[in-house]
Amino acid sequence: MENNKFYITTPIYYPSGNWHIGHCYTTVICDALARFNRMLKKDVFFLTGTDEHGQKIEKKASELNKTPMEFINPLVDGLKDIWRELDISYDKFIRTTDNYHVKGVQTIFKQLYDKGEIYKSEYEGWYCTPCESFWTESQLKDGKCPDCGRPVQKGKEESYFFRLSKYADRILKLYEDNKEFLQPKSRVNEMVNNFIKPGLQDLCVSRTTIKWGIPVTFDEKHTVYVWVDALTNYITALGYGTEDDSLFKKYWPANIQMVGKEIVRFHTIIWPAILMALDIPVSNQVYGHGWLLIGGDKLSKSKGENIRTEITDPKELVDRYGCDALRYFLLREIPFGNDGVYTNESLLKRINGDLSNDLGNLVSRTTAMINQYFGGVLPTPTEFTELDNEVIKMANGVFTEVSKYIDLIDVPSALIEIFKLIQRANKYIDETEPWKISKDETMRDRLKTVMYVLTECIRISAIMLKPFITKAPNKILSYLSIDGEFENTFDNAKFGVLKEGTVIKKAEPIFPRIDVNKEIKAIEEMMAKSQEEKKVEEIEKIEHKEEISIDDFFKTELRVAVVEACEKIEKSSKLLKLTVDVGGEKRTVASGIANYYKPEELIGKKVILVCNLKPAKLCGVLSQGMILCAEKDGKIVLVAPEKDMPSGAEVC
Ligand code: MSP
């Protein structure tokens, strides 16, 4: 049974909502491999999901005045929609906020702590007070907080550390002994030279400043570092650390863990070290694929401005060209392991070339001829010529050739093998010239054989294409009166299976040809229009107030003031109490900016004060004026004079 199982995983996706065609790459490849292995009758488990904890999510949600879950849930639904549109056949979708995962991570963290693999120490770094974040030296941007750009101070944070450094030799040995572990091979040098040889440091695996994370059970002010939380999904999804770990026993170790090249180091250094520390075998293979580069520097020719002309939204691409076209492009275009470039044009060329010209034409021509010459009934072949045998040999060999490449996870080469047969069959039509022999009654038997050979080539190609594209193969097989189920294994990917007398229906164009120039122009116009609309929408969103006269405006007395003291107002979570100086006069002001500024940050700042506002009592503080702020999407910043001005200066 062990050899028959196939466990394949994608990374779990950040719920960003801005998913593009590049994001689909990892998952579509995994899906093709999962489907291929199912057709090999393997017991497949295909895992994907979402990576939902961490500071970024916490921050974004709070900016939108939402709880993290309110923010994440619709995004997760959106990702599942994309996978539905792309026919992704995952067996399980894990969310790191799922209860069983949270419990699993807590169990793993405790196990590692009990074994002495995790210890408590201090993490030294650069602290940004407003963001409550620690940053390492290399994370800083121009020496400032990479998130808000404000100055940072050196600080220490109590943290738990994982003894990653002690695994350096074992990981090197893993690469050495198991050449399959990290593929493609070039990534091994990258890991060894850039990360392991310079020296592995113990890894900080908990934070006290990040609340949106999994709490450490034995020290609740700590949450588990997001990457430890995320990586362990590959085993918690199988029930590791819970009462029912039967799936874990059945499927672990993973056969293939597919990841983009930027996250290889987490999967081939940290992840195996965690598994080693837990005494769990490491995965059989991590494959680090290259990136799909979107569009290059292409600008809109028509507008001459910096407008994106590439459609990158997966749903829009599926709506326009269909799921098969997008899947085929992703699987075929990028030399596996390397980067590839996506443009609208490259996608359209694949659709017109391989799918429409080669595959679509072969099916249309053959089914049309059988209908024309044999009333839509498959004839019996008689004698096979040398030419027929050459084509038959190729058709019989295609499964072996494709399997060879799938074993190497070289999906584009596997597709090339299938299309070699399709192209050969098209050439065979030109060589045998059925339209000529159909006119010669003495060549009737020859015509029968030619039609049979062609139909079998189509049938075998369709079966072989099933793991890669999900709609057209079944459609093609249905033209040959075969219901999809019957062909769900590769057993029938051999010549001579289809019975004479089978009804062959005349095929509709499966991939209608697209006029590339017209389509590119339409896309450019559409993209330019939608950008214009976006701009207009943004402008229209502002609801202006009723007009006032200049006299009305001058009724408001606005002056520059300097903040001399500031403290929190105990009874309120939103208000700060400021003491300001307005040209020598002291005033107390309550301002609702406690969520955006720390009291100590404000001292010495110049602000604009509405001086003649009627005083009002707010949470026990008599507020003598109001401080001007700018607000957008729940974010608030203070308004200040553009150059230095003395306090008391009038704003007019
Ligand atoms: N959450 C982490 C993974 C944690 S796994 C324990 C993450 N998420 S992600 O949403 O940023 O990326 C998900 C996958 O999409 C990764 O494999 C990533 O490499 C892939 N891609 C994102 N953009 C891509 C391209 N432009 N091209 C190819 N793959 C790309 O990383």
Side-chain angles (χ1 to χ4, degrees):
M1 194 63 191
E2 161 61 18
N3 286 335
N4 200 36
K5 69 92 185 167
F6 183 76
Y7 180 32
I8 183 162
T9 66
T10 74
I12 44 174
Y13 284 69
Y14 292 125
S16 71
N18 296 322
W19 292 293
H20 53 67
I21 176 173
H23 283 113
C24 303
Y25 188 46
T26 325
T27 304
V28 167
I29 283 168
C30 285
D31 185 67
L33 296 174
R35 285 174 185 270
F36 195 90
N37 278 278
R38 286 193 198 105
M39 285 180 69
L40 287 175
K41 299 184 191 155
K42 290 214 178 173
D43 178 359
V44 172
F45 196 86
F46 170 18
L47 176 72
T48 190
T50 38
D51 184 357
E52 303 183 8
H53 289 122
Q55 199 170 27
K56 273 195 197 144
I57 306 254
E58 189 176 7
K59 216 171 144 195
K60 269 194 193 158
S62 108
E63 277 170 15
L64 297 171
N65 276 328
K66 289 183 175 171
T67 63
M69 287 312 267
E70 279 169 354
F71 170 65
I72 298 165
N73 284 339
L75 297 177
V76 174
D77 289 344
L79 186 64
K80 284 184 175 170
D81 276 350
I82 296 176
W83 296 156
R84 206 170 299 123
E85 300 243 358
L86 279 169
D87 268 345
I88 303 299
S89 61
Y90 56 79
D91 294 291
K92 185 170 179 118
F93 190 103
I94 185 170
R95 298 182 57 173
T96 52
T97 48
D98 285 338
N99 248 336
Y100 65 87
H101 172 75
V102 171
K103 290 217 172 89
V105 171
Q106 289 176 326
T107 309
I108 289 166
F109 203 92
K110 179 78 168 48
Q111 278 173 351
L112 291 171
Y113 181 69
D114 289 345
K115 286 173 126 212
E117 299 286 348
I118 281 179
Y119 61 93
K120 198 176 194 173
S121 182
E122 266 180 342
Y123 174 82
E124 262 202 61
W126 293 95
Y127 192 66
C128 173
T129 315
C131 294
E132 296 183 338
S133 300
F134 264 101
W135 304 104
T136 58
E137 185 86 40
S138 61
Q139 284 174 319
L140 298 180
K141 239 194 226 155
D142 304 326
K144 296 202 170 127
C145 171
D147 261 6
C148 71
R150 280 182 263 220
V152 286
Q153 299 87 43
K154 216 160 195 155
K156 281 185 182 167
E157 183 190 4
E158 177 191 286
S159 282
Y160 286 91
F161 282 79
F162 169 59
R163 296 189 192 281
L164 182 64
S165 58
K166 100 176 198 204
Y167 289 94
D169 289 342
R170 276 183 74 183
I171 291 167
L172 286 176
K173 195 166 177 324
L174 167 69
Y175 297 166
E176 195 51 43
D177 293 352
N178 184 353
K179 301 280 187 239
E180 296 303 303
F181 175 71
L182 174 51
Q183 288 289 332
K185 286 197 176 70
S186 56
R187 311 248 185 257
V188 176
N189 294 339
E190 214 177 299
M191 291 305 114
V192 173
N193 296 332
N194 298 353
F195 299 107
I196 305 180
K197 287 240 168 100
L200 282 185
Q201 307 287 316
D202 284 355
L203 181 72
C204 176
V205 288
S206 80
R207 295 283 195 276
T208 51
T209 47
I210 299 174
K211 299 290 164 241
W212 183 240
I214 299 180
V216 172
T217 44
F218 51 89
D219 198 346
E220 290 238 334
K221 66 176 186 292
H222 289 261
T223 54
V224 176
Y225 171 47
V226 275
W227 268 99
V228 172
D229 167 356
L231 287 163
T232 48
N233 93 87
Y234 301 126
I235 54 176
T236 60
L238 301 177
Y240 180 84
T242 67
E243 273 164 28
D244 180 6
D245 64 355
S246 50
L247 287 178
F248 173 74
K249 287 191 176 123
K250 185 171 171 193
Y251 290 111
W252 191 258
N255 296 66
I256 298 174
Q257 301 216 261
M258 187 68 68
V259 300
K261 63 179 178 181
E262 80 284 11
I263 51 174
V264 164
R265 94 190 148 93
F266 295 97
H267 286 82
T268 58
I269 297 176
I270 300 175
W271 181 221
I274 293 175
L275 291 165
M276 286 169 185
L278 289 166
D279 289 319
I280 296 175
V282 301
S283 357
N284 294 358
Q285 182 165 104
V286 174
Y287 197 105
H289 67 68
W291 285 333
L292 184 63
L293 305 171
I294 318 271
D297 285 322
K298 198 163 167 283
L299 306 178
S300 163
K301 288 180 208 112
S302 52
K303 282 262 155 183
E305 309 170 11
N306 191 1
I307 289 176
R308 279 215 80 83
T309 54
E310 261 58 49
I311 303 181
T312 57
D313 175 8
K315 277 178 138 184
E316 194 167 341
L317 287 167
V318 172
D319 279 354
R320 254 180 130 83
Y321 311 115
C323 150
D324 278 355
L326 192 52
R327 285 178 67 108
Y328 182 75
F329 174 81
L330 287 169
L331 296 170
R332 173 66 185 84
E333 189 73 11
I334 299 124
F336 212 45
N338 296 327
D339 291 345
V341 174
Y342 162 74
T343 59
N344 296 319
E345 208 165 330
S346 56
L347 171 61
L348 295 173
K349 281 193 171 150
R350 279 285 166 213
I351 299 174
N352 276 350
D354 305 9
L355 296 177
S356 178
N357 252 3
D358 294 347
L359 177 62
N361 262 347
L362 176 65
V363 177
S364 312
R365 288 160 92 189
T366 306
T367 58
M369 287 190 289
I370 296 176
N371 275 270
Q372 191 184 340
Y373 307 141
F374 297 101
V377 177
L378 185 68
T380 320
T382 48
E383 215 179 311
F384 294 119
T385 64
E386 212 174 294
L387 174 67
D388 302 335
N389 283 328
E390 182 213 319
V391 175
I392 293 168
K393 192 170 163 214
M394 196 170 183
N396 274 331
V398 69
F399 168 71
T400 312
E401 291 305 310
V402 169
S403 303
K404 214 165 68 191
Y405 286 112
I406 291 294
D407 281 349
L408 300 171
I409 321 190
D410 184 350
V411 178
S413 299
L415 283 170
I416 289 171
E417 288 304 317
I418 304 174
F419 275 81
K420 270 190 199 162
L421 175 64
I422 294 168
Q423 284 150 4
R424 184 66 194 89
N426 271 321
K427 191 167 163 229
Y428 176 81
I429 299 183
D430 299 338
E431 289 164 343
T432 52
E433 299 181 309
W435 52 92
K436 274 196 189 156
I437 54 178
S438 69
K439 292 191 184 117
D440 182 348
E441 231 353 88
T442 65
M443 297 293 276
R444 191 77 184 153
D445 279 350
R446 179 73 196 127
L447 188 63
K448 286 180 181 173
T449 305
V450 168
M451 289 303 120
Y452 188 84
V453 170
L454 284 171
T455 309
E456 280 296 76
C457 285
I458 291 175
R459 189 183 58 80
I460 292 167
S461 308
I463 296 175
M464 292 311 303
L465 279 172
K466 278 184 101 167
F468 308 102
I469 56 178
T470 53
K471 312 275 189 218
N474 284 343
K475 228 187 205 174
I476 295 169
L477 292 170
S478 75
Y479 291 131
L480 312 186
S481 300
I482 297 167
D483 93 43
E485 286 308 301
F486 164 73
E487 300 282 348
N488 266 345
T489 75
F490 293 119
D491 293 350
N492 293 314
K494 54 179 187 265
F495 191 86
V497 170
L498 208 57
K499 298 269 175 302
E500 58 177 295
T502 304
V503 171
I504 308 293
K505 291 167 217 133
K506 195 165 178 269
E508 302 285 318
I510 315 171
F511 295 100
R513 247 191 106 73
I514 300 170
D515 181 332
V516 176
N517 289 336
K518 225 167 128 187
E519 179 67 3
I520 297 273
K521 203 161 170 260
I523 293 170
E524 286 188 351
E525 278 167 13
M526 183 189 78
M527 298 297 268
K529 201 171 150 213
S530 88
Q531 302 226 358
E532 290 293 316
E533 276 168 8
K534 247 189 226 156
K535 275 191 215 155
V536 172
E537 246 173 51
E538 265 170 31
I539 295 165
E540 279 174 356
K541 252 191 232 155
I542 302 174
E543 275 185 32
H544 293 287
K545 293 182 180 161
E546 202 184 310
E547 277 182 3
I548 55 166
S549 69
I550 188 90
D551 294 336
D552 287 340
F553 175 75
F554 280 123
K555 280 185 193 156
T556 316
E557 185 191 338
L558 300 171
R559 286 188 190 277
V560 175
V562 61
V563 181
E564 291 195 332
C566 184
E567 61 189 86
K568 282 192 167 160
I569 295 178
E570 281 310 315
K571 285 186 213 153
S572 164
S573 60
K574 290 193 181 149
L575 292 174
L576 290 182
K577 178 178 154 188
L578 293 91
T579 308
V580 295
D581 173 290
V582 201
E585 180 194 333
K586 310 286 176 217
R587 296 246 191 143
T588 302
V589 179
S591 178
I593 52 173
N595 287 332
Y596 309 93
Y597 293 94
K598 300 250 172 277
E600 59 273 21
E601 270 181 88
L602 294 177
I603 295 169
K605 270 208 162 55
K606 293 266 169 73
V607 293
I608 308 291
L609 183 76
V610 183
C611 293
N612 59 338
L613 196 69
K614 232 185 218 159
K617 222 172 193 182
L618 300 172
C619 289
V621 174
L622 184 69
S623 185
Q624 304 159 306
M626 188 176 83
I627 285 171
L628 293 192
C629 290
E631 190 268 346
K632 177 128 175 83
D633 299 333
K635 198 175 165 187
I636 287 181
V637 294
L638 289 170
V639 172
E642 187 262 333
K643 287 199 182 76
D644 194 31
M645 282 299 271
S647 88
E650 190 168 5
V651 178
C652 49

